[in-house]
Amino acid sequence: MAKLHPFTMILFSMILFFMALIYNHPLYICSILIFIVVSILLLGEGKQLKTTMKYGVYTAALILIINPLANQNGRHILYKSGKIPIIGKIKITQEALAYGGNMALKLFCILLIFLFYGLMTDRDETFSFFSKYAHKLTLTLSMTINIIHRLRLEIMRVKDVMILRGVNFQEKNLRKRMKAYYPILKVIFIASLEGSLDQAESLYARGYGKGVRTSYSQVKIKNIDYLFHGINFILLCFVVYGFFLNVGFVQFYPTFHGFDLKENIFLIYIDIILVVAILLIWGCKRWKFLRYKI
Amino acid sequence: MNYGVISVSILLISFICIFVSYERQSISVKEISLIATLSALAGVSRVPFAAIPNVQPTTFLVIISGYVFGPGFGFMVGGIATLASNVFLGQGPWTPWQMLAWGLAGFSGGILRKFFKNPSRLLLGIFAFCWGFLFDYIMNLWHWLAFVYPLTVQSFIVTYINSFYFDLMHAVGNFTFAYLFGKDFINILSRFKDRIHYTEIPNQKID
């Protein structure tokens, strides 16, 4: 699938991100989550989905534990403990568990939005997009990434030299091994700092900072970007409108209030927009006609 | 009110302000490339220690660079190190908070210099130790604000107790790095600072 323009995607993921943060209605969050998961699967990146999920499991578990422990509200009590010093009595309620589960869903949602952004855009295009407005920052960042790659080679080089000189890195004793590694650290540190000055001089010699920067290529706004901007606009309108209607909120405490009809109807509108976005992604991937048009 | 949203918004706006001010500064190419190198070093050092949870020399390196080159420089090193290393380790909602935490670590390193011109090993160690805890506290803060309800002292304590051992690991790691390598690295960096800074002698004096 053709990658989207960074700005389109930044706007789209920002809206999704704030939707995920603002709403605490489980159905709202679920529909955002399902939308992102389906789109990632449509893009054929199930593997990355799994690894990101793994990242999230630990924090989600933490949320699931903390919420019931910290929150004493709720009518349906599952467990009641005796007095514990400092913290006091602990009571675990069904509502608090449900709230924790809801928050864990939210967390997954937010995690996957970041992955979704990465899959829908090209990293280089994001870079060149930002370099237009913040060229010092992007220059620093791209130099950093470049140096990270170079450092790996540098470490290997220094290590080889040290081994030739008779340093034993496979020392059993941890203390001795650390002593063997320490000089590497220092050499790398000094060498890379030295290298940075060379790099600066070469940038200077090529006339960096002597005028307006030119660019080799420009990121073009394609047809699909216009379509997504349309989706962005409608979604944003709905979110703002929903904010005034005060939808997307559910009361968990003291008891779960259930789902309001008005909220469910509003959710259908949002879901229609999200389904259109999914269809668009699917179309760009599978439907030849749309693929050539876009 | 939703504090998760508010905190994220404030954070984003403040980052935009900081980065705009960085763009507008008349910063030399050598400084840019030094920031890049130090960030790369700090970022890359997260990788080899990944086996031991939460022990990495990044915090210490950021503090040291802030100490030698000043608060603003330290903040940028912290921020860029996070951004660049997360390109490989995975971006996520934690990125802005890590940027904030490491940026502030660098910033505070610069402020430390204003009070202690020649710090002892122990002082550096203790400073880094405190940052081990502070760093994780900042990271936990969003967790607490966005995902825990109600926002009471009790829920705060429970959230922080949960991560106590991780924080301790981080702090002890920091202390070790700062105690063992702090002085050496400060000397190396100071030499580079002297090399990139120069003062112009007015023309009249040369004549």
Side-chain angles (χ1 to χ4, degrees), chain B residues 11 14 19 21 34 54 77 95 120 122 129 137 140 158-159 174 179 186 189 191 206-207:
Chain B
L11 200 63
S14 50
F19 287 143
S21 76
L34 261 183
N54 232 348
V77 169
T95 309
S120 63
L122 195 66
F129 183 85
Y137 285 177
N140 278 350
V158 174
T159 314
N174 277 352
Y179 188 79
I186 285 180
L189 277 182
R191 198 170 73 84
I206 302 172
D207 300 332

Side-chain angles (χ1 to χ4, degrees), chain B residues 5-18:
Chain B
V5 179
I6 294 171
S7 63
V8 166
S9 312
I10 292 173
L11 200 63
L12 281 180
I13 291 167
S14 50
F15 273 135
I16 289 170
C17 292
I18 289 166

Side-chain angles (χ1 to χ4, degrees), chain A residues 10-65:
Chain A
I10 287 172
L11 207 63
F12 189 50
S13 12
M14 277 294 237
I15 295 171
L16 286 179
F17 180 71
F18 276 102
M19 271 165 76
L21 269 183
I22 290 169
Y23 296 141
N24 77 348
H25 195 302
L27 289 180
Y28 278 64
I29 291 169
C30 271
S31 51
I32 297 172
L33 190 62
I34 289 168
F35 162 72
I36 296 168
V37 168
V38 170
S39 337
I40 290 172
L41 288 178
L42 271 180
L43 292 170
E45 300 285 350
K47 227 181 196 174
Q48 291 209 39
L49 183 74
K50 250 188 210 165
T51 40
T52 315
M53 287 288 215
K54 261 187 216 158
Y55 265 126
V57 165
Y58 170 73
T59 5
L62 209 68
I63 291 171
L64 271 177
I65 295 168

Side-chain angles (χ1 to χ4, degrees), chain B:
Chain B
M1 276 313 253
N2 193 326
Y3 289 100
V5 179
I6 294 171
S7 63
V8 166
S9 312
I10 292 173
L11 200 63
L12 281 180
I13 291 167
S14 50
F15 273 135
I16 289 170
C17 292
I18 289 166
F19 287 143
V20 166
S21 76
Y22 177 69
E23 285 301 316
R24 294 207 173 155
Q25 251 172 38
S26 59
I27 188 170
S28 73
V29 198
K30 285 188 176 170
E31 271 174 298
I32 289 183
S33 96
L34 261 183
I35 288 181
T37 309
L38 280 169
S39 318
L41 279 167
V44 109
S45 64
R46 287 172 74 181
V47 183
F49 291 91
I52 319 165
N54 232 348
V55 172
Q56 13 82 344
T58 311
T59 321
F60 145 72
L61 278 173
V62 170
I63 291 173
I64 295 287
S65 36
Y67 180 83
V68 176
F69 290 99
F73 192 99
F75 193 94
M76 286 316 292
V77 169
I80 302 262
T82 322
L83 260 183
S85 60
N86 278 359
V87 168
F88 305 104
L89 297 173
Q91 304 277 10
W94 51 79
T95 309
W97 294 91
Q98 279 176 340
M99 279 167 75
L100 177 75
W102 268 321
L104 284 180
F107 192 85
S108 71
I111 289 171
L112 181 75
R113 194 193 177 85
K114 300 258 189 295
F115 297 104
F116 300 97
K117 287 279 178 236
N118 193 14
S120 63
R121 273 164 183 271
L122 195 66
L123 181 80
L124 276 176
I126 291 171
F127 189 72
F129 183 85
C130 295
W131 259 108
F133 276 101
L134 265 177
F135 177 86
D136 288 327
Y137 285 177
I138 293 172
M139 294 297 295
N140 278 350
L141 194 65
W142 185 64
H143 216 92
W144 182 63
L145 283 174
F147 297 110
V148 178
Y149 180 90
L151 300 173
T152 55
V153 180
Q154 202 182 23
S155 66
F156 188 80
I157 291 171
V158 174
T159 314
Y160 282 85
I161 283 176
N162 259 305
S163 67
F164 179 76
Y165 280 104
F166 287 100
D167 306 348
L168 192 67
M169 290 283 274
H170 191 182
V172 170
N174 277 352
F175 180 83
T176 323
F177 286 121
Y179 188 79
L180 293 178
F181 312 137
K183 277 271 173 179
D184 278 3
F185 279 33
I186 285 180
N187 287 340
I188 295 170
L189 277 182
S190 305
R191 198 170 73 84
F192 274 93
K193 191 190 175 190
D194 294 342
R195 275 180 67 179
I196 66 165
H197 283 281
Y198 62 90
T199 40
E200 280 182 26
I201 305 169
N203 270 343
Q204 296 93 325
K205 275 195 181 171
I206 302 172
D207 300 332

